[in-house]
Amino acid sequence: MFFQYKHCEQQYVFYICNNKVSLIFEYMDGIKQRINSLREELNQHNYNYYVLSKPTISDYEFDTKMKELTDLENSNPEYYDPNSPSQRVGSDLTKTFRQVEHTYPMLSLGNTYSESEVREFYDRVKKGLNDDFEIVCELKFDGTSISLTYEQGELVLASTRGDGVRGDDVTANVRTIRSIPLKLRGNDYPDRFEIRGEILMPWTVFEDLNRERAEQEETLFANPRNAASGTLKLQDPKIVASRKLDSYLYYMLGENLPADGHYENLMKAREWGFKISDAMRKCKTLEEIFDYIKYWDTERKNLPIATDGIVLKVNSLAQQRNLGYTSKFPRWAIAYKFQAEKALTRLLSVSYQVGRTGAVTPVANLKPVKLSGTTVKRASLYNEDYINQLDLHINDMVSVEKGGEIIPKITAVDASQRGVFDEKVTFAKICPECGTPLVKAEGEAIYYCPNETECPPQIKGRIEHFITRRAMNITCGPETVDHLYNAKMIKDVADLYTLRWQDVANLERWAEKSAKNLVDSIQSSVNVPYPRVLFALGIRYVGETVAKKLAVAFPDIDRLMAASLDDLMQVDEIGERIACSVKAYLSQQKNLDVIARLRTFGLQFELSEEVISQRTDKLQGLTIVISGTFEKHSRDEYKALIEQNGGKNSGSISSKTNYLLAGDNMGPAKLEKVKKLNIPIISEEDFLKMID
Ligand code: IVH
């Protein structure tokens, strides 16, 4: 709401939102200027959010600005502009997917942040209907929205929201999501209908994925929402499948739906096999609605997936039609968003962390502040672009948020409280650990310290990675590495094998028993199989899966060293980036020296006889695509069997495919394609016979 005040020939305009009053501008030529500046600002935030996936303000601040803009535009229609950010929903369209027009536009919901706005919504509905009504309360899932079309009980299309009118056809990727039925159960579903919902990445999957990415020093996903939408837009359904996405469906559309109630329709959808939330409740009174909101505001923290609010919907479809739509939102539904937990504090300094591959990450050191039960002293600043976007200065008052993110982040800076001498934050030019000038590869956002051999955190980081459970499984922690490194007893991973317990026991704080345990653990690690040794070396981009693939394709390190770039790229899932990294690692003398020393200490640099003896070349030269579900083995086991027998498993059908290994519930699109390309289809029995 706007409020104008005149004083001494000057007019002032105040804006009141969520019980807060702010002076918007001195009202001369101000309205137009304010509209323009809000449009510019919101366009930039849309770009940060949808294109860069790096929002710099919270949803709440974005919505507040958008509300201010729409209020201003509504009260000043002469400034209407079809290209205003208020006239569209953000677009996530990408070039690479086929675009499809939605049968029904994919609208979003009006957002509220206060109980009074929920009350206003309830009163509007009551007034609009002038009859009894029920409100369905649901969780607002914080993922990426999807529209699924079913014909004759089969999934025929899955599309993203895109710009609301047209979306990306991501059917191939969505088929990999196990909670989405490809064929429906029962037979009482309409011939054709759409069901909409949210694709989600569960917290545990998100944390594992980020852990893996951190190991590879790849950019981390800021929250499960970005991780889910990024995954859905991957070109390789195989990787999508490995990311274990989940779904909840919450909105059915079509001609002959089973009931007039939204709730009743979703209960039917549950019978047909869709994942429908147990948290849905039908409410009659405002009190019931507030109880629901209150309960889930705390209880949602125990859910395995992220939620960011509550959605309220009028249950009866006839009543929904009665209430209709505004130009952007349904009048029969609204989203109440939970306040992200945030606090205001001062930025004291920025420090820089150097990882094992030399990647430098900026971290904000903050005046300690309480935020959702914990004291926050540090916040992630991601990279140089993020710092510049915030226009961060030392001593700034900053807003810290703990939204879906694990590490708190700075979402806004209050520049009005900045002193004239406060210095702008500029990214470090030299490594804070060793003083070497930092480098940044063209087109990349991350700075690196190139001093691999002398920079302490890089040396210690490599050793810490080497000893982890999934690599050499040596039982000691980063403190021990630190201690041994500071005592000048280890400077690379090979030095670990030269340690004598007597020397370790002589160090301060070490007892004979723990020194012996450490040396024993190091000695037993010589039996760790070759693929894990390859992973332990810490070659950039060589995670556990890539290490396994390399070990199978080049069963000993000599063959791996002799492999050309082309040879490396022949291996399934190994592209130029990984191949170049492996080549670069194996062409540096210091790495070859470490490998040579590790070999003399007895580490495994070839696949064991047992693994090799199980390998055959029965499928040599054959590319096999797996589709559907199987009885005798899982898909992963079939994949392993193909590779173990010298074949290649591919995720998509092309003219290079030799066989399609087909199980039950195979996708109709795949079936059509193999028929077109004349590719022989084999059953699991046929396949098992082939490999004997
Ligand atoms: S109903 C026309 N229900 O929130 C109404 N949306 O801003 C269609 N969302 O785009 C949406 N949980 O991605 C609905 N239980 C829920 C939801 C939900 C999450 C998302 C959805 C939508 C956005 C609305």
Side-chain angles (χ1 to χ4, degrees):
M1 195 180 93
F2 289 95
F3 167 65
Q4 295 182 14
Y5 169 66
K6 198 168 179 213
H7 176 68
C8 300
E9 291 307 304
Q10 182 78 352
Q11 286 194 56
Y12 298 91
V13 172
F14 294 89
Y15 180 66
I16 306 176
C17 178
N18 296 332
N19 300 329
K20 272 189 233 135
V21 184
S22 32
L23 170 68
I24 295 299
F25 48 74
E26 292 169 18
Y27 181 52
M28 296 299 283
D29 193 20
I31 292 190
K32 189 154 185 240
Q33 254 176 30
R34 181 67 189 159
I35 288 181
N36 283 343
S37 94
L38 279 168
R39 283 176 182 165
E40 256 173 45
E41 221 183 305
L42 288 164
N43 277 335
Q44 178 64 39
H45 288 308
N46 263 336
Y47 176 77
N48 293 346
Y49 187 94
Y50 286 103
V51 182
L52 303 181
S53 286
K54 289 213 167 82
T56 54
I57 60 168
S58 66
D59 289 1
Y60 172 71
E61 283 162 301
F62 182 93
D63 292 335
T64 311
K65 283 183 197 297
M66 182 63 91
K67 190 158 190 298
E68 190 193 332
L69 175 63
T70 40
D71 283 359
L72 272 175
E73 286 175 342
N74 290 344
S75 44
N76 300 280
E78 66 272 30
Y79 298 133
Y80 168 79
D81 179 353
N83 290 327
S84 165
S86 63
Q87 300 299 309
R88 62 166 194 165
V89 277
S91 169
D92 64 354
L93 290 177
T94 51
K95 282 194 208 120
T96 33
F97 289 92
R98 181 177 78 101
Q99 287 182 9
V100 282
E101 192 151 330
H102 296 301
T103 316
Y104 312 91
M106 267 180 103
L107 299 179
S108 61
L109 298 170
N111 285 329
T112 76
Y113 292 89
S114 66
E115 292 202 349
S116 62
E117 285 174 283
V118 171
R119 198 180 295 276
E120 282 164 24
F121 165 76
Y122 187 88
D123 290 343
R124 275 200 307 275
V125 169
K126 194 171 172 184
K127 205 167 149 211
L129 293 174
N130 200 16
D131 199 354
D132 283 352
F133 62 93
E134 288 174 320
I135 296 285
V136 181
C137 295
E138 302 172 7
L139 293 174
K140 185 170 187 307
F141 299 103
D142 195 10
T144 182
S145 43
I146 196 79
S147 186
L148 309 173
T149 307
Y150 285 79
E151 280 176 9
Q152 266 70 45
E154 293 202 16
L155 174 71
V156 290
L157 178 68
S159 56
T160 64
R161 183 167 75 162
D163 61 7
V165 176
R166 236 165 273 112
D168 283 330
D169 175 352
V170 287
T171 317
N173 286 345
V174 165
R175 280 186 199 287
T176 68
I177 303 172
R178 284 165 187 259
S179 60
I180 291 183
L182 302 178
K183 257 184 173 177
L184 302 184
R185 293 156 174 271
N187 51 15
D188 54 349
Y189 38 76
D191 286 349
R192 185 178 198 282
F193 71 97
E194 273 184 48
I195 188 158
R196 292 181 179 168
E198 208 81 353
I199 304 292
L200 298 147
M201 183 175 282
W203 284 111
T204 48
V205 179
F206 165 71
E207 279 150 21
D208 285 350
L209 177 63
N210 262 355
R211 195 173 315 123
E212 257 172 47
R213 290 174 79 90
E215 266 174 22
Q216 303 311 315
E217 300 211 345
E218 290 180 293
T219 333
L220 302 190
F221 285 114
N223 50 44
R225 180 193 343 112
N226 288 4
S229 68
T231 301
L232 211 55
K233 293 292 184 78
L234 288 173
Q235 295 298 321
D236 185 350
K238 265 192 299 185
I239 308 180
V240 180
S242 72
R243 295 257 179 104
K244 301 192 194 93
L245 293 174
D246 203 348
S247 67
Y248 272 110
L249 284 307
Y250 45 63
Y251 184 33
M252 197 191 291
L253 296 119
E255 297 291 317
N256 301 306
L257 302 186
D260 171 62
H262 158 74
Y263 184 90
E264 288 69 24
N265 283 335
L266 288 188
M267 291 305 118
K268 263 279 165 220
R270 183 182 281 160
E271 286 173 22
W272 300 335
F274 292 103
K275 190 160 176 179
I276 308 291
S277 165
D278 287 329
M280 281 172 70
R281 287 283 171 282
K282 279 202 281 188
C283 295
K284 285 219 158 91
T285 64
L286 259 174
E287 287 63 43
E288 286 174 308
I289 295 173
F290 288 138
D291 282 350
Y292 184 92
I293 292 178
K294 199 164 158 220
Y295 176 79
W296 282 108
D297 201 356
T298 21
E299 203 48 39
R300 72 191 183 105
K301 289 167 194 152
N302 300 322
L303 293 173
I305 39 87
T307 55
D308 62 343
I310 298 293
V311 179
L312 309 176
K313 297 173 185 167
V314 170
N315 190 34
S316 153
L317 305 190
Q319 289 184 330
Q320 288 184 4
R321 278 191 295 275
N322 254 341
L323 290 164
Y325 295 81
T326 68
S327 62
K328 274 172 45 186
F329 304 131
R331 286 202 177 86
W332 46 266
I334 199 159
Y336 168 86
K337 298 249 279 203
F338 298 124
Q339 284 278 1
E341 293 168 277
K342 61 166 132 181
L344 210 62
T345 189
R346 196 170 289 286
L347 172 72
L348 301 177
S349 62
V350 173
S351 48
Y352 297 86
Q353 285 174 348
V354 185
R356 98 180 131 85
T357 61
V360 179
T361 320
V363 179
N365 299 309
L366 307 165
K367 184 164 176 235
V369 64
K370 273 254 184 287
L371 183 59
S372 42
T374 54
T375 305
V376 174
K377 293 186 208 138
R378 290 149 80 75
S380 172
L381 285 170
Y382 305 108
N383 55 39
E384 187 183 33
D385 297 345
Y386 193 77
I387 294 176
N388 290 343
Q389 273 173 31
L390 288 170
D391 185 29
L392 201 59
H393 285 57
I394 299 295
N395 256 335
D396 268 347
M397 284 307 286
V398 294
S399 180
V400 200
E401 245 181 55
K402 237 188 197 177
E405 291 74 23
I406 345 174
I407 313 161
K409 64 172 181 181
I410 293 180
T411 49
V413 170
D414 185 355
S416 69
Q417 296 199 41
R418 185 176 290 156
V420 272
F421 299 114
D422 289 341
E423 219 177 293
K424 189 171 158 63
V425 176
T426 48
F427 205 91
K429 298 278 174 294
I430 58 167
C431 174
E433 301 282 345
C434 69
T436 308
L438 300 180
V439 293
K440 187 178 183 182
E442 216 181 283
E444 276 196 31
I446 297 170
Y447 276 98
Y448 287 92
C449 165
N451 183 14
E452 285 168 34
T453 38
E454 300 296 329
C455 183
Q458 294 192 55
I459 300 170
K460 285 190 273 183
R462 280 195 296 270
I463 303 174
E464 280 163 20
H465 169 75
F466 185 82
I467 62 174
T468 50
R469 193 174 49 80
R470 276 145 63 197
M472 302 308 285
N473 193 19
I474 296 172
T475 42
C476 76
E479 315 76 41
T480 306
V481 173
D482 212 38
H483 204 168
L484 297 172
Y485 174 81
N486 291 339
K488 300 204 167 32
M489 292 171 78
I490 51 171
K491 208 181 170 231
D492 61 36
V493 296
D495 289 342
L496 286 168
Y497 296 88
T498 63
L499 289 175
R500 291 173 352 119
W501 72 262
Q502 293 85 343
D503 298 333
V504 179
N506 270 338
L507 293 173
E508 219 179 296
R509 299 197 307 273
W510 278 83
E512 185 178 317
K513 189 158 187 298
S514 45
K516 276 185 175 161
N517 283 348
L518 172 68
V519 172
D520 281 353
S521 170
I522 295 173
Q523 290 314 325
S524 359
S525 76
V526 299
N527 298 319
V528 163
Y530 172 48
R532 273 171 53 195
V533 177
L534 261 188
F535 167 60
L537 291 178
I539 306 171
R540 189 177 291 169
Y541 310 130
V542 178
E544 280 176 282
T545 321
V546 170
K548 272 188 210 148
K549 299 228 173 232
L550 286 173
V552 169
F554 308 98
D556 60 59
I557 194 86
D558 294 316
R559 282 189 245 189
L560 184 63
M561 286 178 187
S564 67
L565 212 57
D566 269 355
D567 296 337
L568 290 166
M569 279 160 65
Q570 290 305 311
V571 182
D572 188 25
E573 280 179 42
I574 300 212
E576 199 176 343
R577 187 181 70 138
I578 300 176
C580 285
S581 167
V582 173
K583 245 355 262 155
Y585 181 91
L586 292 174
S587 58
Q588 289 188 39
Q589 194 52 47
K590 61 177 191 317
N591 295 333
L592 299 179
D593 291 345
V594 169
I595 292 174
R597 285 174 64 213
L598 290 174
R599 272 179 126 169
T600 64
F601 295 126
L603 272 74
Q604 307 299 309
F605 278 99
E606 56 186 42
L607 278 186
S608 70
E609 283 304 320
E610 194 196 334
V611 175
I612 294 175
S613 68
Q614 283 172 2
R615 296 190 61 78
T616 78
D617 52 10
K618 290 185 178 141
L619 304 176
Q620 192 66 45
L622 298 180
T623 300
I624 302 177
V625 173
I626 308 175
S627 181
T629 51
F630 299 92
E631 273 176 17
K632 296 201 161 71
H633 293 278
S634 70
R635 282 170 72 114
D636 280 347
E637 283 166 353
Y638 276 119
K639 209 172 140 190
L641 282 171
I642 293 173
E643 283 163 5
Q644 205 175 303
N645 288 283
K648 186 171 174 237
N649 169 238
S650 162
S652 56
I653 295 161
S654 71
S655 55
K656 289 191 194 136
T657 311
N658 299 92
Y659 292 103
L660 176 85
L661 170 54
D664 290 337
N665 300 325
M666 222 186 91
K670 258 195 185 140
L671 206 57
E672 202 178 298
K673 199 158 177 192
V674 285
K675 280 190 186 145
K676 213 164 153 193
L677 293 170
N678 251 335
I679 294 166
I681 300 178
I682 51 170
S683 66
E684 51 185 331
E685 286 77 16
D686 299 333
F687 174 80
L688 292 170
K689 266 189 216 143
M690 273 167 86
I691 59 166
D692 212 5

